[in-house]
Amino acid sequence: MYRKKLYLCTNKFVNQIGQTKMLYKMDKEQNQSRDTETRILQAAEKEFFEKGYIGARTASIAEAAGVTHAMLHYYFRTKDKLFERILAEKINMLGDIILSAIGDNHLPLEDRIRQGVERHFDFISANRDLPRFIVNEVLTRPEHVELMKQNTLHIVSNLLNSLQHEIDEYAAQGLCRPVDARMLLIDIVSLNVFPFMAAPIIQGAIGDYYESYDEFLALRKKENVETVLRKLKIH
């Protein structure tokens, strides 16, 4: 009886060890898979932003990511799938940033608009090649416009409907001007994107007036916030 109990306990213990090892192996494989996917995405983003969709090569992406060409296709199947994933992630990140700022109903409207402008500017600053990349893709591959619309439509629609309703309520109480939320969003995007789209021209125009372009950008962000807020102020 004692030997039987000992055998059962030992067998149970061995099984638990086996299960633990199996779970550890699965976690390790999942982590390695995520790491490989991340490296591929980072390499692809750099390749697409520098060379555009047409100029980007999956072989170059695989080499930069430290994987085989076959492995890259295992993870993302085609160049189109890889492009769509990067574009969707960037747009979703931007949507989350803006929604987390402007959509925070616990803050006054003016503070939320300020946060929205600042966070959008910071996002573009952290992804400086993104605006030129998007514009180039729209001009050279119009079919990508539909893909961008699909990724942004639900974000923009929800944000604008909620924002317009709130602006209308503030305006009815005399707390701000009756502003079109769509025009306001275009103002924000235009003001924030231009310093990065036209960086070479601006740098040539301002010369040595600022110590660095980053100093200019910091001042420009502040100016953009004030410009947008002035549009919302009472008559």
Side-chain angles (χ1 to χ4, degrees), residues 100-154:
S100 67
I102 299 180
D104 186 357
N105 294 324
H106 296 93
L107 293 175
L109 179 62
E110 183 173 326
D111 292 344
R112 285 152 52 197
I113 295 295
R114 181 185 298 275
Q115 284 189 8
V117 176
E118 290 176 344
R119 292 182 187 179
H120 178 258
F121 191 98
D122 290 341
F123 175 82
I124 300 299
S125 183
N127 298 270
R128 298 187 183 188
D129 293 328
L130 183 60
R132 283 194 295 272
F133 169 74
I134 289 178
V135 170
N136 288 336
E137 289 305 308
V138 168
L139 293 176
T140 59
R141 294 179 63 83
E143 63 270 23
H144 284 164
V145 175
E146 187 60 34
L147 175 62
M148 295 177 194
K149 284 172 60 178
Q150 292 173 3
N151 284 308
T152 59
L153 187 60
H154 69 286

Side-chain angles (χ1 to χ4, degrees), residues 1-234:
M1 180 66 69
Y2 173 76
R3 289 183 178 179
K4 184 177 181 180
K5 288 182 178 180
L6 179 61
Y7 170 79
L8 291 174
C9 290
T10 302
N11 191 50
K12 183 179 180 181
F13 179 69
V14 170
N15 287 338
Q16 289 176 339
I17 292 176
Q19 290 175 356
T20 301
K21 287 182 177 179
M22 183 176 66
L23 291 173
Y24 173 78
K25 182 180 179 182
M26 290 173 60
D27 288 341
K28 185 177 180 180
E29 289 175 349
Q30 288 176 353
N31 289 335
Q32 289 176 341
S33 178
R34 283 193 293 267
D35 180 62
T36 300
E37 183 176 297
T38 298
R39 294 203 316 274
I40 293 173
L41 287 171
Q42 290 173 343
E45 179 179 317
K46 187 173 186 296
E47 179 82 2
F48 281 127
F49 285 6
E50 288 181 354
K51 302 177 182 178
Y53 177 87
I54 295 177
R57 296 289 179 266
T58 53
S60 299
I61 295 171
E63 182 179 358
V67 300
T68 64
H69 199 237
M71 185 174 290
L72 183 146
H73 283 285
Y74 169 77
Y75 277 92
F76 293 100
R77 304 302 178 193
T78 65
K79 181 179 171 180
D80 277 340
K81 294 292 184 183
L82 189 52
F83 174 84
E84 291 172 8
R85 171 71 176 273
I86 291 172
L87 188 61
E89 285 192 357
K90 288 297 181 183
I91 291 174
N92 288 334
M93 284 174 60
L94 179 57
D96 289 343
I97 288 170
I98 295 177
L99 287 174
S100 67
I102 299 180
D104 186 357
N105 294 324
H106 296 93
L107 293 175
L109 179 62
E110 183 173 326
D111 292 344
R112 285 152 52 197
I113 295 295
R114 181 185 298 275
Q115 284 189 8
V117 176
E118 290 176 344
R119 292 182 187 179
H120 178 258
F121 191 98
D122 290 341
F123 175 82
I124 300 299
S125 183
N127 298 270
R128 298 187 183 188
D129 293 328
L130 183 60
R132 283 194 295 272
F133 169 74
I134 289 178
V135 170
N136 288 336
E137 289 305 308
V138 168
L139 293 176
T140 59
R141 294 179 63 83
E143 63 270 23
H144 284 164
V145 175
E146 187 60 34
L147 175 62
M148 295 177 194
K149 284 172 60 178
Q150 292 173 3
N151 284 308
T152 59
L153 187 60
H154 69 286
I155 298 173
V156 174
S157 296
N158 293 336
L159 174 64
L160 288 178
N161 290 337
S162 175
L163 184 59
Q164 187 66 67
H165 178 72
E166 191 160 6
I167 289 174
D168 291 343
E169 287 187 343
Y170 268 64
Q173 299 174 48
L175 299 176
C176 76
R177 291 189 176 116
V179 173
D180 185 329
R182 288 165 178 77
M183 291 298 178
L184 185 66
L185 183 62
I186 292 173
D187 288 339
I188 293 172
V189 173
S190 300
L191 286 167
N192 283 347
V193 167
F194 182 77
F196 302 97
M197 285 290 297
I201 300 173
I202 295 174
Q203 286 175 314
I206 64 178
D208 298 328
Y209 190 78
Y210 300 98
E211 290 187 6
S212 68
Y213 198 65
D214 284 337
E215 180 191 359
F216 163 77
L217 289 175
L219 294 171
R220 190 65 219 169
K221 180 171 74 170
K222 182 179 179 181
E223 181 66 25
N224 288 356
V225 170
E226 296 307 316
T227 299
V228 172
L229 291 180
R230 278 196 297 271
K231 182 172 182 175
L232 280 167
K233 288 192 180 298
I234 303 172

